[in-house]
Amino acid sequence: FDFPLDDDQALAGVKTELSNKKLKLVGTFDLGADFAHDGNLVMSAENFARFFPYRNRYGDPLAVVDIGVLELREGADPAAVARQLRGTLDRDVAPLTREQFRNGEIEFWDKSTPIGVVFLAGTIIGFIVGMVICYQVIYSDIADHMPEFATLKAMGYTSKYFIRLIVNEAVLLAVIGFVPGTFVSWLLYTWLAGRTGLLLQLTGSSMLFVFAATVAMCVGSGLLAVRKLLQADPASLF
């Protein structure tokens, strides 16, 4: 069902339910979705207790709290406040700064859910497949120019020269593949963010990591492909 999110009056007229009770929506706010929830509701404590009575312990709708937010005075150190609260509150309460909470959420989705395992497996498989493709490309290029390499070897060019040559080719291959790959990834990020509501950002640190992995992948493939050339006798290459 598509809610009229751009018109508050039309939204208020939509008939909807929550926990088998009628619910009236009066407006919208911006908050990104996640892998578990497509949307969020903001309501008063009284309404929360009415819609979710099983959370209403001892007649107090706020007796069971999952997350609480504290607003600090200007100039206060969040880390110092969090440490002070840890020494004051019970052990079942975990005071966290915004950064600590964010890192904990990321670690949870990365390591404790199937989604993180799937992304990790996809990254590893993509690296291996990319390395095989790069190996085939560089190996085929070496095989096609074997007579030229034989001539250079007979002229006295050392193994270091050939290694340096193949490494340069591998780095060039990584750069040529990285530029269009980054552009396509940006298009996919933009499209998926619009379709799913997830906050997908192609950050500089992510791009740097991918570029370093791409260079390592291509260089490793080149070093594997150049072994046959280094071990061959110049006379047998003609």
Side-chain angles (χ1 to χ4, degrees):
F1 183 81
D2 293 329
F3 292 96
L5 302 179
D6 298 329
D7 188 349
D8 289 346
Q9 292 183 353
L11 183 64
V14 174
K15 295 181 179 180
T16 184
E17 292 183 356
L18 177 65
S19 295
N20 297 321
K21 297 181 179 66
K22 291 183 179 181
L23 178 70
K24 181 180 179 180
L25 303 176
V26 297
T28 61
F29 62 96
D30 293 329
L31 180 64
D34 56 39
F35 292 109
H37 309 95
D38 295 330
N40 299 273
L41 287 174
V42 174
M43 62 180 64
S44 65
E46 292 76 11
N47 281 332
F48 186 81
R50 185 167 63 89
F51 284 103
F52 304 100
Y54 57 88
R55 294 288 299 259
N56 189 0
R57 184 181 300 178
Y58 309 121
D60 183 6
L62 298 181
V64 180
V65 178
D66 295 321
I67 300 175
V69 180
L70 298 180
E71 182 178 359
L72 304 181
R73 287 185 294 184
E74 185 177 357
D77 184 8
V81 174
R83 287 194 299 268
Q84 184 176 0
L85 290 176
R86 291 191 191 99
T88 304
L89 301 176
D90 296 335
R91 292 185 177 182
D92 59 346
V93 181
L96 301 172
T97 63
R98 179 184 298 180
E99 190 65 22
Q100 290 172 340
F101 180 79
R102 176 179 177 273
N103 293 335
E105 287 291 303
I106 293 175
E107 183 178 2
F108 170 78
W109 287 107
D110 281 346
K111 299 180 179 180
S112 302
T113 64
I115 295 175
V117 177
V118 169
F119 275 105
L120 177 61
T123 303
I124 296 175
I125 293 174
F127 185 88
I128 295 175
V129 172
M131 194 168 184
V132 171
I133 295 175
C134 291
Y135 174 83
Q136 292 292 337
V137 171
I138 298 175
Y139 186 86
S140 298
D141 185 57
I142 293 175
D144 293 339
H145 296 85
M146 199 64 83
E148 290 88 343
F149 287 125
T151 302
L152 294 175
K153 219 174 185 186
M155 291 172 60
Y157 283 85
T158 63
S159 298
K160 292 183 178 180
Y161 171 80
F162 294 108
I163 293 176
R164 185 168 62 252
L165 179 66
I166 297 303
V167 168
N168 290 336
E169 181 182 355
V171 173
L172 182 61
L173 183 63
V175 173
I176 293 176
F178 177 77
V179 174
T182 302
F183 178 72
V184 173
S185 298
W186 177 78
L187 292 178
L188 289 175
Y189 268 53
T190 303
W191 181 78
L192 288 173
R195 296 288 294 179
T196 64
L198 295 173
L199 181 61
L200 300 176
Q201 296 179 332
L202 193 60
T203 61
S205 58
S206 299
M207 294 173 59
L208 183 62
F209 171 77
V210 173
F211 179 72
T214 303
V215 172
M217 176 182 65
C218 293
V219 171
S221 301
L223 295 177
L224 291 175
V226 79
R227 289 183 304 167
K228 183 178 180 180
L229 172 62
L230 299 179
Q231 296 172 357
D233 183 72
S236 65
L237 297 178
F238 289 98

